[in-house]
Amino acid sequence: MDLSGKVAIVTGSARGIGREIALRLAEAGATVVVSDVADAEPVAGEIREMGRQSLAVAADVTSTSDVAGLVEKATGEYRRVDILVNNAGIARDQLLMRMSDEDWEAVLNVNLKSVFLCTRAVLRHMVRQRWGRIVSISSIVGIVGNPGQANYASSKAGIIGFTKTLAREVGSRGITVNAIAPGFIVSKMTEQLSEEQKGEMLKRIPLGFLGTPRDVAEAVAFLASEEARYITGQVLGVDGGLGGL
Ligand code: NAP
């Protein structure tokens, strides 16, 4: 997969899965705009050390003006934007009966409204270029649900509806729109689970191990590439077989 000459924006990429996606796209040759509410400069520095171009831009993806600023900085610096990875996401778990308005709104805003705002902001550049790749990080929870995560599951299911609709709207412009639905990925959250909880989790995964941020990043790099040109409106499970159960 060769992404030389392509410019990518990755949201929520100061750490975790987003960071790994940013590094993987750079490894494939892309110029990467690393964006987050947290300081993304260290990741941009890592990318520059790889010999690729990179810019860190602070942006809250729930803010229309921050998102406009992010895309302006990216296109101002590099003159184009080819790949958008909607990765920024949060969880605020609570059983529905106890879920506050704030926890509902925060999760829907960061996980779903952001996808609308960021995608809308890059789209006119991609339409002009007649080439674009939108990849959004959904979750297996958006397909099968999970107790305590009505807000999170709704946001991740919303990404799937968004993806399928936009794929139909912009297919004629050479733009593909896909989602990735990760299962259990090694993260700060999974590191904190007890051995017993981990064992229970592993029993449910046909492949028998947790995924890594790199597993998700590989799928993003593929969907962002020319090789994936005939794939659009799809949800790719990166979940060790969990989704098929
Ligand atoms: P993470 O480690 O918490 O990283 C998410 C990043 O997004 C953080 O750097 C965070 O910054 C940033 N962010 C939060 N709110 C933001 C906002 N309003 N604007 C811009 N950036 C914001 O999460 P992760 O585990 O890597 O997950 C990445 C994506 O994969 C998420 O969409 C998540 O739902 C999805 N996912 C994860 C798993 C998993 O097992 N880890 C499974 C399925 C799907 P702060 O740290 O400053 O808040």
Side-chain angles (χ1 to χ4, degrees):
M1 287 172 282
D2 181 9
L3 300 178
S4 314
K6 304 292 188 205
V7 175
I9 296 176
V10 185
T11 68
S13 49
R15 64 186 175 98
I17 294 171
R19 170 180 171 274
E20 201 65 32
I21 292 169
L23 295 173
R24 181 65 186 89
L25 296 182
E27 209 178 293
T31 293
V32 185
V33 178
V34 184
S35 180
D36 208 296
V37 273
D39 181 15
E41 187 49 46
V43 180
E46 277 185 83
I47 292 173
R48 287 193 289 268
E49 273 168 28
M50 292 162 65
R52 309 290 185 214
Q53 297 187 83
S54 185
L55 183 69
V57 180
D60 176 345
V61 288
T62 67
S63 152
T64 305
S65 57
D66 275 20
V67 168
L70 164 63
V71 175
E72 268 165 35
K73 279 188 192 128
T75 53
E77 186 80 16
Y78 302 120
R79 302 277 143 226
R80 54 189 299 119
V81 54
D82 304 284
I83 300 162
L84 169 67
V85 184
N86 289 307
N87 165 79
I90 59 168
R92 298 271 187 278
D93 298 354
Q94 186 57 271
L95 291 174
L96 191 78
M97 286 206 326
R98 292 196 214 122
M99 190 175 284
S100 66
D101 292 16
E102 290 73 25
D103 283 350
W104 175 270
E105 276 159 21
V107 171
L108 267 291
N109 283 340
V110 177
N111 296 9
L112 183 58
K113 185 184 175 196
S114 66
V115 174
F116 156 63
L117 291 179
C118 294
T119 305
R120 186 180 61 177
V122 298
L123 219 45
R124 86 189 147 84
H125 298 280
M126 291 181 178
V127 166
R128 200 180 320 117
Q129 293 162 194
R130 299 193 75 79
W131 199 95
R133 295 284 186 266
I134 313 281
V135 183
S136 303
I137 310 300
S138 175
S139 167
I140 187 171
V141 169
I143 301 169
V144 301
N146 199 25
Q149 292 199 306
N151 49 1
Y152 185 81
S154 301
S155 70
K156 295 300 185 180
I159 287 179
I160 295 174
F162 177 92
T163 296
K164 290 181 179 288
T165 298
L166 191 67
R168 291 176 187 272
E169 285 186 20
V170 299
S172 63
R173 310 301 176 99
I175 302 168
T176 69
V177 191
N178 292 289
I180 289 176
F184 293 121
I185 304 298
V186 176
S187 63
K188 280 203 183 113
M189 189 201 78
T190 52
E191 278 164 16
Q192 283 161 9
L193 297 174
S194 68
E195 284 309 309
E196 196 190 339
Q197 286 170 316
K198 273 189 199 157
E200 283 306 311
M201 199 191 272
L202 291 176
K203 268 192 230 155
R204 294 170 53 198
I205 305 171
L207 285 180
F209 58 90
L210 297 184
T212 62
R214 179 76 183 198
D215 290 317
V216 178
E218 291 294 348
V220 173
F222 170 61
L223 290 173
S225 71
E226 189 54 34
E227 284 83 348
R229 66 178 197 151
Y230 205 53
I231 301 173
T232 194
Q234 301 303 305
V235 184
L236 177 58
V238 178
D239 61 6
L242 195 61
L245 296 180

